[in-house]
Amino acid sequence: MTLPAGTDAVRQSLASFRQERQADWKAFEALLARVEKRAPCALSEDELLSLPLLYRSALSSLSVARATSLDSALIAYLEALCLRGYFYLYGARRSLRTRVGDFFLHDWPAAIRDLWREVWTSVALTVIGAIAGYWLVASDKRWYDAIIAPSLAGGRNPDSSAEMLRSVLYGDGGHFLSGFAAYLFTHNTQVSILAFALGFAFAVPSVLIILMNGCMLGAIFQIYAAKGLGFQLGGWLSIHGTTELFAIAIAGAAGMRIGTSIAFPGELTRMAAAARAGRVAATAMVGVAVMLLFAGLLEGIGRQTITSDVARYSIGGGMLAFWICYFYLFRMVRHGDR
């Protein structure tokens, strides 16, 4: 029965209610604070056994408080206390090690397998862009300046000598080599972020960004191939490029998944379709950050210290084989062992 607000009966009822039950609330709150800050081992056996009893007592108090329209501040306090108790007692709790392990062993590879159509579409767009960039520069070298930004070109152009281009490939470029490597890593990171972030616009920006990135790759490759250094450039790029370009392809795929889900939501609303696609895409993008980190290490260390073309191709090919096996074959092997 609801008591009239502002009467002495209400004040007396509230005071009596608090006096009878407040000790249990405080005890429950203190125990929760200890286990949340430390671990269950911080409590004695009796205290652990008392947690569910105190939780049920808090739920009972909340039920009475709501039924009798007591103080709204007290109701809010009890709701927050019961919610904390519920999440501790019944919520799924995993250690950081378990969460990280699940991500690398299941969540990330599963997300890439889910995106397989978009990933290979992104790879195909990169190849198409590279062919187009190569052909455009080969047909008219003025296209090179239109495709490659001066900061990325680093002074290299179709008129550069073979000696100058070779010096970059084999470490004689000194400070320029390390500076260009850092710039290239930053550029590819930005491309990955943009390809993902702009995918919501029906995937059109993601497609254009991947195509343009391929055009830039093809344009740079053409000026080296024209001087007979195409094979050498491929080795120089492959050490980090197989990882970095694969990461960009995945980022573009994540953007495409969101964009196509918005454009073609099926039976879902556009927001629901975008949310479902976003969970897979976000998992993939966390993995892209890991891949870019690997690529940065390979670029900053391996590419500048290893000058053998065979070793460069071996490292680049080995990394590509590793990523393909990790994403697409690992689950097959694991299930086959069961």
Side-chain angles (χ1 to χ4, degrees):
M1 176 179 177
T2 302
L3 296 173
T7 63
D8 291 340
V10 170
R11 289 194 292 270
Q12 292 174 0
S13 175
L14 179 58
S16 175
F17 183 75
R18 284 181 178 274
Q19 185 176 5
E20 291 176 359
R21 308 200 180 198
Q22 191 168 24
D24 287 344
W25 306 338
K26 295 300 182 183
F28 186 42
E29 186 175 17
L31 292 178
L32 285 177
R34 287 169 59 189
V35 295
E36 287 170 348
K37 290 180 179 178
R38 299 173 65 185
C41 61
L43 302 184
S44 66
E45 183 177 345
D46 290 340
E47 288 173 331
L48 285 172
L49 292 174
S50 69
L51 274 175
L53 299 177
L54 292 172
Y55 171 66
R56 287 194 289 271
S57 175
L59 283 178
S60 174
S61 299
L62 176 61
S63 177
V64 172
R66 284 173 171 172
T68 56
S69 297
L70 293 174
D71 184 14
S72 60
L74 177 61
I75 295 175
Y77 166 76
L78 290 173
E79 286 177 343
L81 182 61
C82 291
L83 186 62
R84 286 174 61 192
Y86 174 81
F87 278 119
Y88 180 77
L89 292 171
Y90 302 108
R93 296 185 301 278
R94 297 185 299 167
S95 67
L96 178 61
R97 179 183 300 177
T98 301
R99 289 196 294 268
V100 172
D102 285 346
F103 173 79
F104 284 105
L105 294 176
H106 177 265
D107 297 343
W108 183 20
I112 303 304
R113 287 192 293 270
D114 195 346
L115 292 170
W116 71 270
R117 294 182 182 84
E118 292 86 351
V119 169
W120 296 113
T121 298
S122 189
V123 171
L125 289 172
T126 301
V127 173
I128 292 170
I131 294 172
Y134 185 98
W135 179 79
L136 287 170
V137 176
S139 61
D140 186 346
K141 64 182 182 181
R142 287 176 296 182
W143 275 104
Y144 183 82
D145 292 330
I147 296 173
I148 304 296
S151 54
L152 182 60
R156 297 168 302 172
N157 57 64
D159 297 323
S160 299
S161 66
E163 290 74 16
M164 184 270 186
L165 297 177
R166 182 183 292 275
S167 69
V168 175
L169 297 180
Y170 294 101
D172 295 333
H175 177 70
F176 166 76
L177 179 63
S178 59
F180 175 72
Y183 174 81
L184 191 62
F185 173 72
T186 302
H187 165 78
N188 287 331
T189 301
Q190 292 172 344
V191 169
S192 300
I193 294 172
L194 288 174
F196 168 67
L198 299 179
F200 72 91
F202 305 115
V204 174
S206 298
V207 170
L208 295 178
I209 288 171
I210 297 299
L211 278 172
M212 188 59 197
N213 194 61
C215 280
M216 295 170 64
L217 181 64
I220 291 178
F221 192 82
Q222 196 282 328
I223 67 169
Y224 276 87
K227 299 298 191 299
L229 296 171
F231 178 81
Q232 291 82 350
L233 177 67
W236 188 71
L237 290 174
S238 68
I239 287 184
H240 82 289
T242 52
T243 298
E244 201 159 82
L245 291 174
F246 203 171
I248 293 173
I250 292 173
M256 291 178 202
R257 169 61 65 89
I258 293 176
T260 54
S261 296
I262 294 174
F264 308 103
E267 297 180 356
L268 301 175
T269 65
R270 294 188 189 278
M271 288 300 295
R276 185 176 65 179
R279 287 190 287 270
V280 175
T283 301
M285 282 304 295
V286 174
V288 166
V290 175
M291 294 180 72
L292 290 175
L293 176 61
F294 271 100
L297 293 174
L298 291 169
E299 186 173 21
I301 300 173
R303 197 177 66 177
Q304 299 183 50
T305 58
I306 299 173
T307 57
S308 167
D309 292 328
V310 174
R312 287 173 170 178
Y313 275 107
S314 298
I315 294 172
M319 290 303 302
L320 180 60
F322 167 77
W323 293 120
I324 292 175
C325 292
Y326 174 63
F327 291 137
Y328 300 109
L329 300 181
F330 174 74
R331 191 182 72 162
M332 293 171 60
V333 173
R334 186 177 62 181
H335 282 270
D337 291 339
R338 289 180 178 178

